């Protein structure tokens, strides 16, 4: 990730920002940060989860493009790999012109981040986003980590996340998606063993 140097932006300035490129940005403490393209592996994992979440969540309550404004002394936004909206939040966003979940809106029910390689990415997903999402009141936060071969599910209890780590053939337990039946291995391999040779 590369920070764009220059003056710090307010949230309002960021929401109006357009450099006429296809770059995707997060706003971190008022600074524009370019988000690099995801690796093919991370994209596969996100899509695999999207397809499986759709079995239990209506399409209007799922997003892989929503950005979340998180609390902080300087404006910060995050763009998770996958967001499960509450019914209330989905209704509010239907009237919005941009998929931005602002501080005056209800928090999402669940967010998923797929960790990219590198210490900076690990710190962002395991440390910074953990505290930001907890402060924002997001009930469940999944950290899918292909490098460490594990899925960490963080559940909000009294304002703080309690974590459970899933590896191998352990079924992932979710308080939001109780009927979901996926193992950590299935998620980390993005269901490759089930794909067969349908497309060559």
């Amino acid at each position: 990730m590369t920070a764009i140097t220059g003056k710090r932006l307010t949230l309002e300035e960021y929401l109006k920002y357009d450099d006429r490129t296809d770059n995707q940005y997060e706003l971190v403490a008022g600074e524009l940060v370019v988000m690099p393209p995801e690796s093919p592996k991370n994209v596969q994992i996100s899509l695999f989860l999207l397809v499986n979440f759709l079995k239990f969540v209506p399409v209007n309550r799922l997003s892989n493009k929503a950005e979340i404004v998180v609390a902080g002394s300087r404006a910060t936004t995050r763009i998770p790999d996958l967001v499960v909206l509450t019914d209330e939040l989905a209704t509010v966003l239907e009237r919005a012109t941009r998929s931005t979940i602002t501080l005056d809106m209800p928090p999402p029910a669940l967010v998923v981040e797929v960790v990219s390689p590198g210490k900076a990415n690990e710190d962002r997903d395991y440390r910074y986003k953990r505290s930001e999402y907890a402060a924002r009141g997001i009930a469940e936060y999944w950290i899918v980590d292909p490098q460490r071969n594990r899925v960490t599910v963080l559940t909000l209890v009294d304002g703080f996340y309690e974590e459970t780590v899933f590896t191998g053939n352990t079924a992932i337990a979710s308080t939001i998606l109780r009927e979901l039946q996926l193992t950590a291995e299935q998620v980390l391999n993005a269901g490759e063993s089930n794909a067969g040779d349908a497309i060559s």
Side-chain angles (χ1 to χ4, degrees):
M1 272 137 323
T2 311
I4 308 289
T5 52
K7 83 178 189 80
R8 292 184 185 272
L9 302 180
T10 64
L11 179 63
E12 290 71 25
E13 289 169 332
Y14 163 74
L15 293 175
K16 292 176 186 171
Y17 183 81
D18 181 7
D19 61 2
R20 293 179 170 75
T21 70
D22 291 332
N23 289 339
Q24 187 172 42
Y25 298 99
E26 283 185 341
L27 188 67
V28 180
E31 268 195 86
L32 277 180
V33 177
V34 181
M35 305 305 292
E38 293 281 355
S39 70
K41 174 78 171 175
N42 284 20
V43 171
Q44 286 172 7
I45 289 172
S46 296
L47 286 173
F48 177 75
L49 285 172
L50 178 67
V51 167
N52 280 278
F53 283 13
L54 277 169
K55 295 172 184 174
F56 308 103
V57 180
V59 69
N60 71 321
R61 285 187 49 207
L62 272 175
S63 178
N64 58 359
K65 296 290 184 185
E67 63 183 340
I68 303 169
V69 180
V70 292
S73 56
R74 293 186 182 272
T76 297
T77 63
R78 297 299 189 184
I79 305 172
D81 292 297
L82 203 53
V83 179
V84 178
L85 312 174
T86 61
D87 284 334
E88 185 185 5
L89 179 54
T91 301
V92 172
L93 279 177
E94 279 174 8
R95 300 188 294 270
T97 56
R98 175 176 174 147
S99 291
T100 301
I101 301 166
T102 54
L103 290 173
D104 60 340
M105 295 179 184
L110 184 156
V111 295
V112 178
E113 298 282 5
V114 183
V115 184
S116 296
K119 185 177 186 312
N121 293 315
E122 287 181 12
D123 284 348
R124 191 174 73 252
D125 291 342
Y126 280 99
R127 293 178 58 200
Y128 306 126
K129 290 182 182 178
R130 179 178 180 143
S131 59
E132 290 165 354
Y133 291 160
R136 189 64 181 82
I138 298 170
E140 196 166 288
Y141 171 30
W142 290 26
I143 304 172
V144 181
D145 194 336
Q147 288 70 241
R148 298 185 188 181
N149 276 311
R150 68 188 195 187
V151 177
T152 304
V153 174
L154 301 162
T155 307
L156 197 63
V157 178
D158 296 329
F160 295 94
Y161 280 132
E162 293 184 358
E163 72 172 57
T164 308
V165 177
F166 300 93
T167 59
N169 286 317
T170 309
I172 297 169
S174 168
T175 59
I176 304 299
L177 300 172
R178 296 180 186 276
E179 297 173 353
L180 188 72
Q181 293 183 324
L182 287 176
T183 66
E185 188 174 57
Q186 284 175 310
V187 172
L188 292 161
N189 292 330
E192 283 175 14
S193 58
N194 305 330
D197 297 309
I199 301 173
S200 56

